[in-house]
Short mmCIF file of all heavy atoms in Angstrom, two decimals:
data_model
loop_
_atom_site.label_atom_id
_atom_site.label_comp_id
_atom_site.label_asym_id
_atom_site.label_seq_id
_atom_site.Cartn_x
_atom_site.Cartn_y
_atom_site.Cartn_z
N THR A 94 -13.54 13.49 5.34
CA THR A 94 -14.71 13.06 6.05
C THR A 94 -15.44 11.89 5.44
O THR A 94 -16.30 11.28 6.03
CB THR A 94 -15.77 14.17 6.14
OG1 THR A 94 -16.19 14.52 4.80
CG2 THR A 94 -15.24 15.44 6.80
N CYS A 95 -15.09 11.56 4.16
CA CYS A 95 -15.87 10.63 3.39
C CYS A 95 -15.00 9.42 2.96
O CYS A 95 -13.83 9.36 3.32
CB CYS A 95 -16.47 11.29 2.16
SG CYS A 95 -17.66 12.59 2.61
N LEU A 96 -15.61 8.50 2.24
CA LEU A 96 -14.79 7.47 1.52
C LEU A 96 -14.98 7.78 0.04
O LEU A 96 -16.12 7.82 -0.46
CB LEU A 96 -15.29 6.06 1.82
CG LEU A 96 -14.78 5.47 3.14
CD1 LEU A 96 -15.34 4.09 3.37
CD2 LEU A 96 -13.25 5.45 3.26
N LEU A 97 -13.87 8.09 -0.60
CA LEU A 97 -13.82 8.38 -2.05
C LEU A 97 -12.86 7.45 -2.66
O LEU A 97 -11.64 7.56 -2.46
CB LEU A 97 -13.40 9.84 -2.29
CG LEU A 97 -14.12 10.93 -1.49
CD1 LEU A 97 -13.40 12.25 -1.55
CD2 LEU A 97 -15.55 11.08 -2.02
N ILE A 126 -22.03 -0.70 5.36
CA ILE A 126 -22.57 0.43 6.19
C ILE A 126 -23.49 -0.15 7.30
O ILE A 126 -23.43 0.29 8.47
CB ILE A 126 -23.35 1.43 5.31
CG1 ILE A 126 -22.36 2.16 4.36
CG2 ILE A 126 -24.12 2.44 6.12
CD1 ILE A 126 -22.99 2.90 3.19
N ALA A 130 -21.88 0.53 10.78
CA ALA A 130 -22.53 1.74 11.39
C ALA A 130 -23.93 1.45 11.89
O ALA A 130 -24.55 2.31 12.53
CB ALA A 130 -22.55 2.87 10.38
N LEU A 159 -27.06 8.80 0.37
CA LEU A 159 -25.92 8.59 1.27
C LEU A 159 -24.64 8.33 0.49
O LEU A 159 -23.56 8.64 0.92
CB LEU A 159 -26.23 7.43 2.17
CG LEU A 159 -25.24 7.06 3.28
CD1 LEU A 159 -25.34 8.10 4.40
CD2 LEU A 159 -25.50 5.69 3.85
N GLY A 181 -18.49 6.80 -3.79
CA GLY A 181 -18.41 7.94 -2.85
C GLY A 181 -19.42 7.73 -1.75
O GLY A 181 -20.62 7.57 -2.02
N ILE A 182 -18.95 7.66 -0.50
CA ILE A 182 -19.88 7.49 0.65
C ILE A 182 -19.69 8.67 1.59
O ILE A 182 -18.58 9.01 2.02
CB ILE A 182 -19.54 6.18 1.46
CG1 ILE A 182 -19.55 4.97 0.55
CG2 ILE A 182 -20.59 5.98 2.60
CD1 ILE A 182 -19.16 3.66 1.23
N ASN A 183 -20.83 9.32 1.92
CA ASN A 183 -20.81 10.43 2.91
C ASN A 183 -20.74 9.82 4.32
O ASN A 183 -21.78 9.35 4.81
CB ASN A 183 -22.03 11.29 2.76
CG ASN A 183 -22.15 11.92 1.41
OD1 ASN A 183 -21.16 12.07 0.70
ND2 ASN A 183 -23.38 12.21 0.96
N VAL A 184 -19.58 9.79 4.91
CA VAL A 184 -19.43 9.10 6.16
C VAL A 184 -19.60 10.04 7.36
O VAL A 184 -20.65 10.07 8.02
CB VAL A 184 -18.08 8.35 6.23
CG1 VAL A 184 -18.00 7.55 7.55
CG2 VAL A 184 -17.88 7.46 5.04
N ASN A 185 -18.61 10.85 7.58
CA ASN A 185 -18.60 11.74 8.79
C ASN A 185 -18.85 13.21 8.45
O ASN A 185 -18.24 14.12 9.04
CB ASN A 185 -17.28 11.57 9.57
CG ASN A 185 -17.16 10.13 10.11
OD1 ASN A 185 -18.14 9.51 10.54
ND2 ASN A 185 -15.96 9.57 10.06
N VAL A 186 -19.72 13.42 7.48
CA VAL A 186 -20.07 14.82 7.12
C VAL A 186 -21.06 15.36 8.12
O VAL A 186 -22.14 14.78 8.30
CB VAL A 186 -20.69 14.86 5.72
CG1 VAL A 186 -20.92 16.33 5.28
CG2 VAL A 186 -19.86 14.13 4.69
N PRO A 187 -20.74 16.44 8.83
CA PRO A 187 -21.67 16.99 9.82
C PRO A 187 -22.95 17.49 9.11
O PRO A 187 -22.92 17.92 7.99
CB PRO A 187 -20.91 18.19 10.41
CG PRO A 187 -19.53 18.09 9.94
CD PRO A 187 -19.49 17.21 8.72
N THR A 199 -27.34 13.07 2.59
CA THR A 199 -27.25 12.78 4.00
C THR A 199 -25.90 12.07 4.23
O THR A 199 -25.14 11.82 3.31
CB THR A 199 -28.42 11.94 4.51
OG1 THR A 199 -28.36 11.93 5.97
CG2 THR A 199 -28.41 10.51 3.99
N SER A 200 -25.58 11.82 5.50
CA SER A 200 -24.30 11.15 5.84
C SER A 200 -24.58 10.15 6.93
O SER A 200 -25.64 10.25 7.63
CB SER A 200 -23.27 12.15 6.27
OG SER A 200 -23.63 12.67 7.55
N ILE A 201 -23.68 9.24 7.16
CA ILE A 201 -23.84 8.26 8.23
C ILE A 201 -23.88 9.01 9.58
O ILE A 201 -24.72 8.71 10.45
CB ILE A 201 -22.69 7.22 8.24
CG1 ILE A 201 -22.73 6.42 6.90
CG2 ILE A 201 -22.82 6.28 9.43
CD1 ILE A 201 -21.58 5.43 6.73
N LEU A 202 -23.01 10.01 9.73
CA LEU A 202 -22.99 10.82 10.97
C LEU A 202 -24.32 11.49 11.22
O LEU A 202 -24.90 11.46 12.34
CB LEU A 202 -21.85 11.84 10.93
CG LEU A 202 -21.80 12.83 12.09
CD1 LEU A 202 -21.57 12.13 13.42
CD2 LEU A 202 -20.67 13.85 11.89
N ALA A 203 -24.87 12.11 10.15
CA ALA A 203 -26.15 12.84 10.30
C ALA A 203 -27.27 11.86 10.66
O ALA A 203 -28.19 12.21 11.41
CB ALA A 203 -26.49 13.55 9.02
N GLU A 204 -27.18 10.63 10.15
CA GLU A 204 -28.28 9.70 10.42
C GLU A 204 -28.17 8.99 11.77
O GLU A 204 -29.19 8.69 12.39
CB GLU A 204 -28.35 8.59 9.33
CG GLU A 204 -28.69 9.20 7.94
CD GLU A 204 -30.10 9.78 7.87
OE1 GLU A 204 -30.96 9.42 8.68
OE2 GLU A 204 -30.32 10.61 6.96
N THR A 205 -26.94 8.70 12.19
CA THR A 205 -26.77 7.92 13.40
C THR A 205 -26.37 8.74 14.61
O THR A 205 -26.46 8.26 15.75
CB THR A 205 -25.68 6.81 13.19
OG1 THR A 205 -24.43 7.50 12.97
CG2 THR A 205 -26.02 5.91 12.03
N ARG A 207 -23.34 9.26 15.21
CA ARG A 207 -22.03 8.72 15.66
C ARG A 207 -21.01 8.85 14.53
O ARG A 207 -21.36 8.73 13.36
CB ARG A 207 -22.17 7.23 16.00
CG ARG A 207 -23.05 6.95 17.21
CD ARG A 207 -23.05 5.45 17.50
NE ARG A 207 -23.56 4.65 16.41
CZ ARG A 207 -24.87 4.39 16.20
NH1 ARG A 207 -25.76 4.87 17.05
NH2 ARG A 207 -25.25 3.66 15.22
N THR A 208 -19.76 9.03 14.92
CA THR A 208 -18.63 9.05 13.98
C THR A 208 -18.32 7.59 13.63
O THR A 208 -18.27 6.76 14.52
CB THR A 208 -17.42 9.72 14.62
OG1 THR A 208 -17.79 11.04 14.93
CG2 THR A 208 -16.25 9.76 13.67
N THR A 209 -18.10 7.31 12.37
CA THR A 209 -17.77 5.96 11.91
C THR A 209 -16.26 5.88 11.54
O THR A 209 -15.75 6.80 10.87
CB THR A 209 -18.65 5.58 10.72
OG1 THR A 209 -19.99 5.54 11.12
CG2 THR A 209 -18.28 4.23 10.11
N ASP A 210 -15.64 4.79 11.94
CA ASP A 210 -14.24 4.62 11.59
C ASP A 210 -14.13 4.26 10.11
O ASP A 210 -14.59 3.18 9.69
CB ASP A 210 -13.62 3.51 12.43
CG ASP A 210 -12.18 3.26 12.10
OD1 ASP A 210 -11.42 4.25 12.01
OD2 ASP A 210 -11.81 2.10 11.83
N ARG A 211 -13.57 5.15 9.32
CA ARG A 211 -13.56 4.94 7.85
C ARG A 211 -12.71 3.77 7.41
O ARG A 211 -12.97 3.12 6.44
CB ARG A 211 -13.14 6.25 7.14
CG ARG A 211 -14.14 7.37 7.30
CD ARG A 211 -13.70 8.64 6.60
NE ARG A 211 -12.46 9.10 7.11
CZ ARG A 211 -11.49 9.68 6.39
NH1 ARG A 211 -11.65 9.81 5.10
NH2 ARG A 211 -10.37 10.11 6.93
N LEU A 214 -14.78 0.69 7.87
CA LEU A 214 -15.83 0.68 6.86
C LEU A 214 -15.26 0.24 5.51
O LEU A 214 -15.83 -0.59 4.80
CB LEU A 214 -16.48 2.06 6.78
CG LEU A 214 -17.63 2.19 5.79
CD1 LEU A 214 -18.81 1.21 6.12
CD2 LEU A 214 -18.19 3.62 5.78
#
Side-chain angles (χ1 to χ4, degrees):
T94 63
C95 294
L96 281 178
L97 307 167
I126 293 166
L159 185 74
I182 307 176
N183 300 334
V184 184
N185 296 323
V186 185
T199 192
S200 69
I201 298 176
L202 174 61
E204 295 296 338
T205 64
R207 294 183 300 274
T208 300
T209 295
D210 179 49
R211 291 180 302 142
L214 182 59

